[in-house]
Amino acid sequence: MGFSLFNKIYRIKPSEMSRIALVGACGALVWLLRRYFSGAVCQNNVNLRGKTALITGGNTGLGKATALTLAQKGARVILACRSLKRGDKAASEIRSQVENAQVAVYFLDLSSLNSVRKFVQDFVRTENGLHILINNAGIYGCPHWKSEDGYEMQFAVNHLGHFLLTNLLMDTLAQSAPSRVLVVTSSLHKRGTIEFDDLSGDKDYKPRKAYAQSKLANLLFAHELNKRLPSGVTVNSLHPGIVWTELARYSTFNPILRYLAYPLLLLILKTPWQGAQTTTYCATEPSLQEVSGLYFGDCKQEECAQHAKDDGTAKKLWEVSEKMTGLHQE
């Protein structure tokens, strides 16, 4: 039906038609932008029956979305989280959506090295194997808090806890091979530097600077770990994009600016399901079975910052992390 005939039938004024056309154009633009920012989707239909996947921070956000997807693919999913109450709630929701879903909840506080050790003891004693380890949990932009062990909180949770966890589970991963380790990082690693003389930020603490340092540490950890892995185990790192989750709950953005930016954020931020697609891809894609030491985004390989692949920095960070976590005291 042409516009002229449409006008005659519904008697719409030219000015009203202009407004309708403008609204339609805006709607189309919003749809196109939303589609663009939503990112790629993992397309494989891999069956994960008989496989066990462990996800830190699996009770909310990206972790929960990843857990749901892996459960749908048949995996036994372990939610390692700081709140058992929230973990049990997430597990119940997954079971309600996935028939015969196998989901277990364990307590894990990554800010406590003792908690990491206790978790590994319980896991090894209870579970039969581990095929996918997803180091997903994180904290962003908090005040200058210290962990139970006296380390800056973002560095402790985002890096040290996962460093110790991965190393203590390495024998289990090797015995379960082929197996995969995934390190969820952030594109903000590009702004990070490793301040070896001030890892706890006592001299100069800025929340976002500390976060960028911890995310760079994730990549340097994966880079060095790739050189030390036993046969049959791979490690890759990934960034999920900018996702609407609870990660930024400690941020101190101006409330007025946050309110004004809300419509834009709704447009450009990924949902947790969309953000979990690259994690799912790296965890399940058959073509990545023997691929290790790479960096992914939007379900494809990408290039991380050059300083995130520096051999000397990665080796030094590993040695410092060993001392900070007491790894060789195990």
mmCIF file of all heavy atoms in Angstrom, residues 57 60-63 82 86 136-143 145 154 157-158 162 184-188 207-208 211-212 214-215 218 240-253 258 269 272:
data_model
loop_
_atom_site.group_PDB
_atom_site.id
_atom_site.type_symbol
_atom_site.label_atom_id
_atom_site.label_comp_id
_atom_site.label_asym_id
_atom_site.label_seq_id
_atom_site.Cartn_x
_atom_site.Cartn_y
_atom_site.Cartn_z
ATOM 1 N N GLY A 57 32.013 -17.983 40.529
ATOM 2 C CA GLY A 57 30.995 -16.941 40.398
ATOM 3 C C GLY A 57 29.835 -17.396 39.533
ATOM 4 O O GLY A 57 29.222 -16.591 38.832
ATOM 5 N N THR A 60 25.599 -15.903 39.432
ATOM 6 C CA THR A 60 25.025 -14.650 38.942
ATOM 7 C C THR A 60 25.688 -14.217 37.642
ATOM 8 O O THR A 60 26.764 -14.698 37.293
ATOM 9 C CB THR A 60 25.189 -13.538 40.010
ATOM 10 O OG1 THR A 60 24.478 -12.374 39.602
ATOM 11 C CG2 THR A 60 26.653 -13.182 40.205
ATOM 12 N N GLY A 61 25.034 -13.303 36.925
ATOM 13 C CA GLY A 61 25.632 -12.674 35.759
ATOM 14 C C GLY A 61 26.145 -13.623 34.702
ATOM 15 O O GLY A 61 25.473 -14.588 34.314
ATOM 16 N N LEU A 62 27.354 -13.347 34.227
ATOM 17 C CA LEU A 62 27.977 -14.161 33.189
ATOM 18 C C LEU A 62 28.120 -15.616 33.613
ATOM 19 O O LEU A 62 27.888 -16.536 32.823
ATOM 20 C CB LEU A 62 29.370 -13.609 32.863
ATOM 21 C CG LEU A 62 29.461 -12.351 32.004
ATOM 22 C CD1 LEU A 62 30.901 -11.874 31.953
ATOM 23 C CD2 LEU A 62 28.952 -12.642 30.597
ATOM 24 N N GLY A 63 28.528 -15.816 34.866
ATOM 25 C CA GLY A 63 28.734 -17.178 35.344
ATOM 26 C C GLY A 63 27.463 -17.999 35.309
ATOM 27 O O GLY A 63 27.464 -19.153 34.878
ATOM 28 N N ARG A 82 30.543 -17.483 46.577
ATOM 29 C CA ARG A 82 30.735 -16.976 47.935
ATOM 30 C C ARG A 82 29.479 -17.073 48.780
ATOM 31 O O ARG A 82 29.547 -17.121 50.009
ATOM 32 C CB ARG A 82 31.213 -15.518 47.836
ATOM 33 C CG ARG A 82 31.980 -14.992 49.008
ATOM 34 C CD ARG A 82 32.792 -13.762 48.621
ATOM 35 N NE ARG A 82 32.028 -12.848 47.788
ATOM 36 C CZ ARG A 82 31.318 -11.834 48.252
ATOM 37 N NH1 ARG A 82 31.226 -11.638 49.561
ATOM 38 N NH2 ARG A 82 30.686 -11.029 47.433
ATOM 39 N N ARG A 86 22.643 -17.844 47.461
ATOM 40 C CA ARG A 86 22.460 -17.415 46.077
ATOM 41 C C ARG A 86 22.854 -18.522 45.100
ATOM 42 O O ARG A 86 22.281 -18.647 44.019
ATOM 43 C CB ARG A 86 23.281 -16.150 45.812
ATOM 44 C CG ARG A 86 22.841 -14.963 46.642
ATOM 45 C CD ARG A 86 23.585 -13.701 46.255
ATOM 46 N NE ARG A 86 23.206 -13.269 44.912
ATOM 47 C CZ ARG A 86 23.788 -12.252 44.288
ATOM 48 N NH1 ARG A 86 24.776 -11.587 44.877
ATOM 49 N NH2 ARG A 86 23.391 -11.900 43.085
ATOM 50 N N ASN A 136 35.890 -17.270 36.183
ATOM 51 C CA ASN A 136 34.960 -16.229 35.769
ATOM 52 C C ASN A 136 34.733 -15.140 36.817
ATOM 53 O O ASN A 136 34.552 -13.974 36.476
ATOM 54 C CB ASN A 136 33.617 -16.884 35.423
ATOM 55 C CG ASN A 136 32.482 -15.899 35.366
ATOM 56 O OD1 ASN A 136 32.270 -15.216 34.372
ATOM 57 N ND2 ASN A 136 31.708 -15.810 36.457
ATOM 58 N N ALA A 137 34.738 -15.485 38.086
ATOM 59 C CA ALA A 137 34.357 -14.537 39.133
ATOM 60 C C ALA A 137 35.280 -13.321 39.149
ATOM 61 O O ALA A 137 36.466 -13.410 38.810
ATOM 62 C CB ALA A 137 34.388 -15.223 40.497
ATOM 63 N N GLY A 138 34.719 -12.190 39.530
ATOM 64 C CA GLY A 138 35.541 -10.987 39.594
ATOM 65 C C GLY A 138 34.888 -9.896 40.414
ATOM 66 O O GLY A 138 33.697 -9.944 40.723
ATOM 67 N N ILE A 139 35.691 -8.903 40.748
ATOM 68 C CA ILE A 139 35.218 -7.737 41.481
ATOM 69 C C ILE A 139 35.804 -6.512 40.788
ATOM 70 O O ILE A 139 36.918 -6.552 40.264
ATOM 71 C CB ILE A 139 35.646 -7.809 42.969
ATOM 72 C CG1 ILE A 139 35.028 -6.672 43.774
ATOM 73 C CG2 ILE A 139 37.156 -7.848 43.107
ATOM 74 C CD1 ILE A 139 35.262 -6.806 45.273
ATOM 75 N N TYR A 140 35.019 -5.429 40.770
ATOM 76 C CA TYR A 140 35.442 -4.242 40.025
ATOM 77 C C TYR A 140 35.213 -2.964 40.827
ATOM 78 O O TYR A 140 34.144 -2.766 41.417
ATOM 79 C CB TYR A 140 34.657 -4.144 38.715
ATOM 80 C CG TYR A 140 34.813 -2.827 37.985
ATOM 81 C CD1 TYR A 140 35.927 -2.584 37.196
ATOM 82 C CD2 TYR A 140 33.852 -1.824 38.098
ATOM 83 C CE1 TYR A 140 36.079 -1.381 36.527
ATOM 84 C CE2 TYR A 140 33.993 -0.612 37.440
ATOM 85 C CZ TYR A 140 35.114 -0.393 36.652
ATOM 86 O OH TYR A 140 35.271 0.795 35.996
ATOM 87 N N GLY A 141 36.213 -2.119 40.841
ATOM 88 C CA GLY A 141 36.040 -0.757 41.328
ATOM 89 C C GLY A 141 35.716 -0.590 42.792
ATOM 90 O O GLY A 141 35.116 0.415 43.182
ATOM 91 N N CYS A 142 36.099 -1.534 43.622
ATOM 92 C CA CYS A 142 35.773 -1.421 45.045
ATOM 93 C C CYS A 142 36.710 -0.424 45.728
ATOM 94 O O CYS A 142 37.752 -0.050 45.181
ATOM 95 C CB CYS A 142 35.888 -2.788 45.717
ATOM 96 S SG CYS A 142 37.554 -3.493 45.685
ATOM 97 N N PRO A 143 36.356 0.033 46.932
ATOM 98 C CA PRO A 143 37.283 0.875 47.702
ATOM 99 C C PRO A 143 38.583 0.122 47.985
ATOM 100 O O PRO A 143 38.710 -1.062 47.627
ATOM 101 C CB PRO A 143 36.497 1.162 48.987
ATOM 102 C CG PRO A 143 35.067 0.948 48.617
ATOM 103 C CD PRO A 143 35.069 -0.160 47.608
ATOM 104 N N TRP A 145 40.045 -1.987 49.698
ATOM 105 C CA TRP A 145 39.878 -3.072 50.651
ATOM 106 C C TRP A 145 41.061 -4.023 50.571
ATOM 107 O O TRP A 145 41.707 -4.165 49.536
ATOM 108 C CB TRP A 145 38.593 -3.857 50.354
ATOM 109 C CG TRP A 145 37.338 -3.071 50.552
ATOM 110 C CD1 TRP A 145 37.168 -1.948 51.308
ATOM 111 C CD2 TRP A 145 36.063 -3.365 49.970
ATOM 112 N NE1 TRP A 145 35.857 -1.524 51.248
ATOM 113 C CE2 TRP A 145 35.165 -2.356 50.439
ATOM 114 C CE3 TRP A 145 35.583 -4.353 49.124
ATOM 115 C CZ2 TRP A 145 33.819 -2.339 50.067
ATOM 116 C CZ3 TRP A 145 34.258 -4.339 48.753
ATOM 117 C CH2 TRP A 145 33.369 -3.342 49.219
ATOM 118 N N GLN A 154 40.938 -6.462 44.606
ATOM 119 C CA GLN A 154 40.735 -6.804 43.200
ATOM 120 C C GLN A 154 41.831 -7.734 42.692
ATOM 121 O O GLN A 154 41.565 -8.686 41.950
ATOM 122 C CB GLN A 154 40.661 -5.529 42.349
ATOM 123 C CG GLN A 154 39.437 -4.685 42.682
ATOM 124 C CD GLN A 154 39.316 -3.478 41.775
ATOM 125 O OE1 GLN A 154 38.792 -3.558 40.679
ATOM 126 N NE2 GLN A 154 39.808 -2.333 42.249
ATOM 127 N N VAL A 157 41.125 -11.276 44.401
ATOM 128 C CA VAL A 157 40.000 -12.045 43.861
ATOM 129 C C VAL A 157 40.200 -12.382 42.384
ATOM 130 O O VAL A 157 40.058 -13.536 41.966
ATOM 131 C CB VAL A 157 38.682 -11.273 44.057
ATOM 132 C CG1 VAL A 157 37.530 -11.966 43.326
ATOM 133 C CG2 VAL A 157 38.362 -11.142 45.530
ATOM 134 N N ASN A 158 40.518 -11.366 41.602
ATOM 135 C CA ASN A 158 40.569 -11.550 40.149
ATOM 136 C C ASN A 158 41.773 -12.356 39.698
ATOM 137 O O ASN A 158 41.699 -13.077 38.697
ATOM 138 C CB ASN A 158 40.575 -10.191 39.451
ATOM 139 C CG ASN A 158 39.326 -9.381 39.743
ATOM 140 O OD1 ASN A 158 38.372 -9.886 40.322
ATOM 141 N ND2 ASN A 158 39.330 -8.122 39.359
ATOM 142 N N HIS A 162 42.329 -17.164 41.634
ATOM 143 C CA HIS A 162 42.256 -18.038 40.467
ATOM 144 C C HIS A 162 43.602 -18.689 40.157
ATOM 145 O O HIS A 162 43.656 -19.829 39.681
ATOM 146 C CB HIS A 162 41.767 -17.244 39.258
ATOM 147 C CG HIS A 162 40.300 -16.969 39.287
ATOM 148 N ND1 HIS A 162 39.779 -15.698 39.192
ATOM 149 C CD2 HIS A 162 39.232 -17.802 39.417
ATOM 150 C CE1 HIS A 162 38.459 -15.754 39.249
ATOM 151 N NE2 HIS A 162 38.104 -17.017 39.396
ATOM 152 N N VAL A 184 38.577 -15.592 32.178
ATOM 153 C CA VAL A 184 37.742 -14.469 31.740
ATOM 154 C C VAL A 184 38.416 -13.173 32.175
ATOM 155 O O VAL A 184 38.589 -12.915 33.364
ATOM 156 C CB VAL A 184 36.320 -14.565 32.331
ATOM 157 C CG1 VAL A 184 35.476 -13.376 31.859
ATOM 158 C CG2 VAL A 184 35.662 -15.879 31.915
ATOM 159 N N THR A 185 38.803 -12.367 31.195
ATOM 160 C CA THR A 185 39.497 -11.122 31.479
ATOM 161 C C THR A 185 38.675 -9.953 30.948
ATOM 162 O O THR A 185 37.454 -10.042 30.867
ATOM 163 C CB THR A 185 40.929 -11.152 30.906
ATOM 164 O OG1 THR A 185 41.601 -9.929 31.211
ATOM 165 C CG2 THR A 185 40.935 -11.384 29.409
ATOM 166 N N SER A 186 39.312 -8.892 30.565
ATOM 167 C CA SER A 186 38.607 -7.699 30.085
ATOM 168 C C SER A 186 39.494 -6.951 29.101
ATOM 169 O O SER A 186 40.728 -6.979 29.217
ATOM 170 C CB SER A 186 38.252 -6.781 31.260
ATOM 171 O OG SER A 186 37.884 -5.493 30.815
ATOM 172 N N SER A 187 38.863 -6.257 28.172
ATOM 173 C CA SER A 187 39.641 -5.439 27.235
ATOM 174 C C SER A 187 40.337 -4.295 27.961
ATOM 175 O O SER A 187 41.269 -3.683 27.433
ATOM 176 C CB SER A 187 38.737 -4.884 26.131
ATOM 177 O OG SER A 187 37.680 -4.117 26.687
ATOM 178 N N LEU A 188 39.922 -4.014 29.200
ATOM 179 C CA LEU A 188 40.578 -2.981 29.995
ATOM 180 C C LEU A 188 41.992 -3.374 30.405
ATOM 181 O O LEU A 188 42.730 -2.543 30.952
ATOM 182 C CB LEU A 188 39.757 -2.658 31.237
ATOM 183 C CG LEU A 188 38.444 -1.899 30.992
ATOM 184 C CD1 LEU A 188 37.687 -1.713 32.304
ATOM 185 C CD2 LEU A 188 38.699 -0.545 30.342
ATOM 186 N N PRO A 207 40.695 2.742 42.081
ATOM 187 C CA PRO A 207 39.912 1.526 41.827
ATOM 188 C C PRO A 207 40.015 0.992 40.401
ATOM 189 O O PRO A 207 40.230 -0.204 40.196
ATOM 190 C CB PRO A 207 38.481 1.953 42.172
ATOM 191 C CG PRO A 207 38.651 3.034 43.183
ATOM 192 C CD PRO A 207 39.879 3.780 42.754
ATOM 193 N N ARG A 208 39.868 1.852 39.415
ATOM 194 C CA ARG A 208 39.878 1.374 38.031
ATOM 195 C C ARG A 208 41.274 0.978 37.586
ATOM 196 O O ARG A 208 41.442 0.052 36.793
ATOM 197 C CB ARG A 208 39.285 2.443 37.110
ATOM 198 C CG ARG A 208 37.810 2.690 37.397
ATOM 199 C CD ARG A 208 37.245 3.849 36.606
ATOM 200 N NE ARG A 208 35.965 4.270 37.167
ATOM 201 C CZ ARG A 208 35.282 5.329 36.777
ATOM 202 N NH1 ARG A 208 35.758 6.095 35.796
ATOM 203 N NH2 ARG A 208 34.137 5.639 37.342
ATOM 204 N N TYR A 211 41.789 -2.429 38.946
ATOM 205 C CA TYR A 211 41.050 -3.423 38.154
ATOM 206 C C TYR A 211 41.803 -3.750 36.871
ATOM 207 O O TYR A 211 41.945 -4.925 36.502
ATOM 208 C CB TYR A 211 39.658 -2.901 37.820
ATOM 209 C CG TYR A 211 38.831 -3.863 36.990
ATOM 210 C CD1 TYR A 211 38.239 -4.978 37.576
ATOM 211 C CD2 TYR A 211 38.652 -3.661 35.622
ATOM 212 C CE1 TYR A 211 37.493 -5.863 36.828
ATOM 213 C CE2 TYR A 211 37.904 -4.540 34.864
ATOM 214 C CZ TYR A 211 37.327 -5.639 35.461
ATOM 215 O OH TYR A 211 36.586 -6.525 34.706
ATOM 216 N N ALA A 212 42.276 -2.720 36.171
ATOM 217 C CA ALA A 212 43.018 -2.945 34.930
ATOM 218 C C ALA A 212 44.263 -3.781 35.199
ATOM 219 O O ALA A 212 44.624 -4.656 34.397
ATOM 220 C CB ALA A 212 43.388 -1.611 34.294
ATOM 221 N N SER A 214 44.599 -6.046 37.552
ATOM 222 C CA SER A 214 44.182 -7.425 37.808
ATOM 223 C C SER A 214 43.801 -8.151 36.520
ATOM 224 O O SER A 214 44.038 -9.351 36.366
ATOM 225 C CB SER A 214 43.017 -7.461 38.800
ATOM 226 O OG SER A 214 41.807 -7.004 38.214
ATOM 227 N N LYS A 215 43.212 -7.426 35.571
ATOM 228 C CA LYS A 215 42.823 -8.037 34.305
ATOM 229 C C LYS A 215 44.038 -8.292 33.406
ATOM 230 O O LYS A 215 44.067 -9.269 32.661
ATOM 231 C CB LYS A 215 41.805 -7.152 33.584
ATOM 232 C CG LYS A 215 40.460 -7.039 34.292
ATOM 233 C CD LYS A 215 39.680 -8.334 34.228
ATOM 234 C CE LYS A 215 39.712 -9.167 35.473
ATOM 235 N NZ LYS A 215 38.891 -10.404 35.386
ATOM 236 N N ASN A 218 45.485 -11.428 34.699
ATOM 237 C CA ASN A 218 44.793 -12.607 34.161
ATOM 238 C C ASN A 218 45.454 -13.092 32.876
ATOM 239 O O ASN A 218 45.704 -14.287 32.688
ATOM 240 C CB ASN A 218 43.334 -12.283 33.855
ATOM 241 C CG ASN A 218 42.472 -12.097 35.073
ATOM 242 O OD1 ASN A 218 41.421 -11.465 35.011
ATOM 243 N ND2 ASN A 218 42.876 -12.637 36.218
ATOM 244 N N PRO A 240 34.397 -10.899 27.487
ATOM 245 C CA PRO A 240 32.991 -11.086 27.119
ATOM 246 C C PRO A 240 32.350 -9.871 26.462
ATOM 247 O O PRO A 240 31.216 -9.949 25.986
ATOM 248 C CB PRO A 240 32.323 -11.378 28.455
ATOM 249 C CG PRO A 240 33.146 -10.607 29.441
ATOM 250 C CD PRO A 240 34.563 -10.663 28.933
ATOM 251 N N GLY A 241 33.048 -8.738 26.446
ATOM 252 C CA GLY A 241 32.425 -7.492 26.013
ATOM 253 C C GLY A 241 31.903 -6.748 27.225
ATOM 254 O O GLY A 241 32.143 -7.124 28.379
ATOM 255 N N ILE A 242 31.181 -5.667 26.970
ATOM 256 C CA ILE A 242 30.613 -4.869 28.063
ATOM 257 C C ILE A 242 29.229 -5.417 28.376
ATOM 258 O O ILE A 242 28.322 -5.356 27.546
ATOM 259 C CB ILE A 242 30.530 -3.387 27.674
ATOM 260 C CG1 ILE A 242 31.892 -2.891 27.180
ATOM 261 C CG2 ILE A 242 30.081 -2.550 28.865
ATOM 262 C CD1 ILE A 242 31.871 -1.473 26.666
ATOM 263 N N VAL A 243 29.076 -5.962 29.562
ATOM 264 C CA VAL A 243 27.876 -6.727 29.908
ATOM 265 C C VAL A 243 27.164 -6.098 31.098
ATOM 266 O O VAL A 243 27.791 -5.574 32.030
ATOM 267 C CB VAL A 243 28.247 -8.191 30.239
ATOM 268 C CG1 VAL A 243 26.990 -9.028 30.448
ATOM 269 C CG2 VAL A 243 29.109 -8.791 29.127
ATOM 270 N N TRP A 244 25.843 -6.166 31.057
ATOM 271 C CA TRP A 244 25.010 -5.650 32.151
ATOM 272 C C TRP A 244 24.968 -6.696 33.268
ATOM 273 O O TRP A 244 24.173 -7.616 33.246
ATOM 274 C CB TRP A 244 23.608 -5.354 31.638
ATOM 275 C CG TRP A 244 22.771 -4.580 32.616
ATOM 276 C CD1 TRP A 244 22.188 -5.056 33.752
ATOM 277 C CD2 TRP A 244 22.447 -3.191 32.560
ATOM 278 N NE1 TRP A 244 21.516 -4.057 34.403
ATOM 279 C CE2 TRP A 244 21.655 -2.891 33.690
ATOM 280 C CE3 TRP A 244 22.739 -2.172 31.655
ATOM 281 C CZ2 TRP A 244 21.150 -1.634 33.945
ATOM 282 C CZ3 TRP A 244 22.242 -0.906 31.909
ATOM 283 C CH2 TRP A 244 21.461 -0.646 33.043
ATOM 284 N N THR A 245 25.846 -6.554 34.265
ATOM 285 C CA THR A 245 25.878 -7.484 35.387
ATOM 286 C C THR A 245 26.051 -6.688 36.684
ATOM 287 O O THR A 245 26.054 -5.462 36.678
ATOM 288 C CB THR A 245 27.051 -8.490 35.255
ATOM 289 O OG1 THR A 245 28.290 -7.785 35.441
ATOM 290 C CG2 THR A 245 27.039 -9.169 33.899
ATOM 291 N N GLU A 246 26.270 -7.414 37.779
ATOM 292 C CA GLU A 246 26.490 -6.778 39.075
ATOM 293 C C GLU A 246 27.942 -6.366 39.282
ATOM 294 O O GLU A 246 28.296 -5.842 40.339
ATOM 295 C CB GLU A 246 26.098 -7.746 40.198
ATOM 296 C CG GLU A 246 24.627 -8.140 40.203
ATOM 297 C CD GLU A 246 24.318 -9.127 41.315
ATOM 298 O OE1 GLU A 246 25.262 -9.533 42.030
ATOM 299 O OE2 GLU A 246 23.153 -9.498 41.467
ATOM 300 N N LEU A 247 28.796 -6.583 38.290
ATOM 301 C CA LEU A 247 30.226 -6.353 38.470
ATOM 302 C C LEU A 247 30.537 -4.937 38.943
ATOM 303 O O LEU A 247 31.417 -4.714 39.770
ATOM 304 C CB LEU A 247 30.968 -6.637 37.160
ATOM 305 C CG LEU A 247 32.497 -6.514 37.199
ATOM 306 C CD1 LEU A 247 33.098 -7.563 38.126
ATOM 307 C CD2 LEU A 247 33.094 -6.641 35.807
ATOM 308 N N ALA A 248 29.803 -3.961 38.413
ATOM 309 C CA ALA A 248 30.119 -2.557 38.716
ATOM 310 C C ALA A 248 29.375 -2.024 39.937
ATOM 311 O O ALA A 248 29.229 -0.818 40.105
ATOM 312 C CB ALA A 248 29.804 -1.696 37.498
ATOM 313 N N ARG A 249 28.930 -2.899 40.829
ATOM 314 C CA ARG A 249 28.099 -2.459 41.951
ATOM 315 C C ARG A 249 28.859 -1.554 42.925
ATOM 316 O O ARG A 249 28.235 -0.826 43.707
ATOM 317 C CB ARG A 249 27.523 -3.666 42.697
ATOM 318 C CG ARG A 249 28.549 -4.616 43.286
ATOM 319 C CD ARG A 249 27.848 -5.869 43.819
ATOM 320 N NE ARG A 249 28.754 -6.883 44.323
ATOM 321 C CZ ARG A 249 29.337 -7.802 43.566
ATOM 322 N NH1 ARG A 249 29.122 -7.800 42.261
ATOM 323 N NH2 ARG A 249 30.138 -8.708 44.087
ATOM 324 N N TYR A 250 30.191 -1.618 42.915
ATOM 325 C CA TYR A 250 30.954 -0.773 43.833
ATOM 326 C C TYR A 250 31.428 0.529 43.175
ATOM 327 O O TYR A 250 32.095 1.331 43.811
ATOM 328 C CB TYR A 250 32.187 -1.526 44.351
ATOM 329 C CG TYR A 250 31.841 -2.787 45.101
ATOM 330 C CD1 TYR A 250 32.221 -4.034 44.608
ATOM 331 C CD2 TYR A 250 31.122 -2.736 46.293
ATOM 332 C CE1 TYR A 250 31.906 -5.193 45.298
ATOM 333 C CE2 TYR A 250 30.796 -3.887 46.984
ATOM 334 C CZ TYR A 250 31.192 -5.121 46.479
ATOM 335 O OH TYR A 250 30.874 -6.270 47.148
ATOM 336 N N SER A 251 31.077 0.712 41.906
ATOM 337 C CA SER A 251 31.536 1.898 41.194
ATOM 338 C C SER A 251 30.905 3.159 41.776
ATOM 339 O O SER A 251 29.785 3.130 42.285
ATOM 340 C CB SER A 251 31.186 1.791 39.706
ATOM 341 O OG SER A 251 31.846 0.691 39.125
ATOM 342 N N THR A 252 31.599 4.270 41.646
ATOM 343 C CA THR A 252 31.128 5.532 42.218
ATOM 344 C C THR A 252 30.788 6.534 41.124
ATOM 345 O O THR A 252 31.177 7.695 41.186
ATOM 346 C CB THR A 252 32.198 6.125 43.141
ATOM 347 O OG1 THR A 252 33.440 6.261 42.399
ATOM 348 C CG2 THR A 252 32.421 5.246 44.348
ATOM 349 N N PHE A 253 30.084 6.080 40.084
ATOM 350 C CA PHE A 253 29.672 6.993 39.027
ATOM 351 C C PHE A 253 28.686 8.014 39.592
ATOM 352 O O PHE A 253 27.870 7.707 40.464
ATOM 353 C CB PHE A 253 28.990 6.221 37.890
ATOM 354 C CG PHE A 253 29.916 5.290 37.161
ATOM 355 C CD1 PHE A 253 29.656 3.926 37.133
ATOM 356 C CD2 PHE A 253 31.032 5.766 36.498
ATOM 357 C CE1 PHE A 253 30.497 3.059 36.467
ATOM 358 C CE2 PHE A 253 31.872 4.908 35.825
ATOM 359 C CZ PHE A 253 31.621 3.551 35.814
ATOM 360 N N ARG A 258 24.758 8.699 35.629
ATOM 361 C CA ARG A 258 24.307 7.321 35.429
ATOM 362 C C ARG A 258 22.867 7.291 34.922
ATOM 363 O O ARG A 258 22.523 6.517 34.038
ATOM 364 C CB ARG A 258 24.422 6.546 36.749
ATOM 365 C CG ARG A 258 24.021 5.086 36.619
ATOM 366 C CD ARG A 258 24.142 4.341 37.940
ATOM 367 N NE ARG A 258 25.499 4.320 38.436
ATOM 368 C CZ ARG A 258 25.910 3.555 39.441
ATOM 369 N NH1 ARG A 258 25.046 2.746 40.033
ATOM 370 N NH2 ARG A 258 27.149 3.594 39.850
ATOM 371 N N LEU A 269 24.987 -2.222 26.061
ATOM 372 C CA LEU A 269 25.453 -3.307 26.927
ATOM 373 C C LEU A 269 24.843 -4.646 26.530
ATOM 374 O O LEU A 269 23.680 -4.745 26.182
ATOM 375 C CB LEU A 269 25.109 -3.011 28.389
ATOM 376 C CG LEU A 269 25.809 -1.824 29.043
ATOM 377 C CD1 LEU A 269 25.448 -1.765 30.517
ATOM 378 C CD2 LEU A 269 27.317 -1.901 28.871
ATOM 379 N N PRO A 272 23.617 -10.809 30.047
ATOM 380 C CA PRO A 272 24.509 -11.881 30.492
ATOM 381 C C PRO A 272 24.566 -13.049 29.507
ATOM 382 O O PRO A 272 25.641 -13.616 29.284
ATOM 383 C CB PRO A 272 23.897 -12.305 31.836
ATOM 384 C CG PRO A 272 23.285 -11.041 32.361
ATOM 385 C CD PRO A 272 22.720 -10.369 31.140
#
